[in-house]
DNA sequence: TCAACATATGAACAATTGCTCATATGTTCA
DNA sequence: TGAACATATGAGCAATTGTTCATATGTTGA
């Protein structure tokens, strides 16, 4: 007969966050899981930048950057402010840096 | 004429990691960007587990879990040991916990 | 008010991805 | 050695995703 692990499972289940939260967690990391967005976040590491500067930096279309900034903003990873025609984006909080920092450590160790 | 930001860009460029490393970072987070894999990592948070226990816990196919464990292992996020017919998986290092922890904080704040 | 600039957005297409199904590999025990 | 169990793997399909292209929205200054 297949081996049984009901006792273990009941214990683990009790400590697992809700499915909804786990889904949200996955969705959050999905946002980090794209090179373009990682580059954008790195570009904003030290200071805010306008959309066209980011596009220049990454040698990508303004449209492509704008789409990705929307994704980042929806995940509360960046924030923006308007100054005339220009819109400046910046990292939203310190979690962005610490998440990227931990990932960096994992890779380079 | 469009506005110029060459000076800023040169400064930022100097501080950006290589494209290859940024790609690797994106690839790493891509692994975190799936609910099934997040659930697996949470299941392994406290202790090692065998494949069929994880499949039972998540009510998913052994095959599906096995495929995902392969992805997690390729990213060095889990490690495994064999004990007879059974193979036990565990989290590979502390980065897994801190990355997930930071994500959790970001979401629940 | 109109032209120029900065950014946002929707549709569409190619590429990637996670699961299923069938089957292969590896291990134990009688 | 062969049957039962535990896990791994390859092909295929549906769903998701990132970019492009065309165009819309918003702002400024003449």
């Amino acid at each position: 007969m297949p081996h049984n692990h009901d006792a273990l499972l009941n214990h683990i289940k009790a400590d697992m966050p809700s499915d909804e939260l786990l889904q949200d967690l996955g969705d959050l990391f999905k946002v980090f899981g794209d090179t373009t967005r990682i580059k954008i976040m790195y570009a904003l590491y030290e200071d805010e930048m306008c959309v066209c500067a980011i596009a220049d930096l990454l040698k990508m279309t303004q449209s492509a950057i704008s789409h990705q900034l929307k994704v980042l903003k929806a995940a509360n990873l960046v924030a923006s402010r308007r100054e005339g025609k220009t819109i400046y984006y910046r990292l939203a909080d310190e979690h962005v840096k610490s998440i990227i920092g931990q990932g960096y450590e994992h890779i380079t160790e």
Side-chain angles (χ1 to χ4, degrees), chain A residues 49-99:
Chain A
M49 275 179 112
C50 63
V51 179
C52 63
I54 300 173
D56 274 14
L57 177 67
L58 306 190
K59 300 189 202 313
M60 289 180 64
T61 312
Q62 173 271 320
S63 176
I65 300 299
S66 194
H67 277 295
Q68 297 298 14
L69 284 168
K70 188 177 187 179
V71 174
L72 288 167
K73 197 167 189 180
N76 289 310
L77 297 177
V78 303
S80 63
R81 71 182 178 86
R82 178 182 281 277
E83 193 177 301
K85 288 178 291 193
T86 308
I87 297 185
Y88 291 94
Y89 281 85
R90 64 181 179 279
L91 297 185
D93 62 43
E94 286 302 312
H95 291 131
V96 181
K97 290 189 184 182
S98 41
I99 289 172

Side-chain angles (χ1 to χ4, degrees), chain A residues 2-15:
Chain A
H3 77 262
N4 183 294
H5 22 58
D6 286 353
L8 173 65
L9 292 196
N10 287 331
H11 173 244
I12 301 286
K13 266 184 203 163
D15 290 348

Side-chain angles (χ1 to χ4, degrees), chain A residues 14-67:
Chain A
D15 290 348
M16 288 271 280
S18 71
D19 270 28
E20 193 196 354
L21 190 138
L22 293 167
Q23 173 84 48
D24 289 347
L25 253 187
D27 288 346
L28 173 66
F29 287 119
K30 206 168 286 176
V31 179
F32 284 88
D34 173 78
T35 309
T36 299
R37 289 191 293 264
I38 288 281
K39 285 181 182 177
I40 293 176
M41 289 187 274
Y42 249 113
L44 302 177
Y45 227 72
E46 290 177 23
D47 204 3
E48 62 181 11
M49 275 179 112
C50 63
V51 179
C52 63
I54 300 173
D56 274 14
L57 177 67
L58 306 190
K59 300 189 202 313
M60 289 180 64
T61 312
Q62 173 271 320
S63 176
I65 300 299
S66 194
H67 277 295

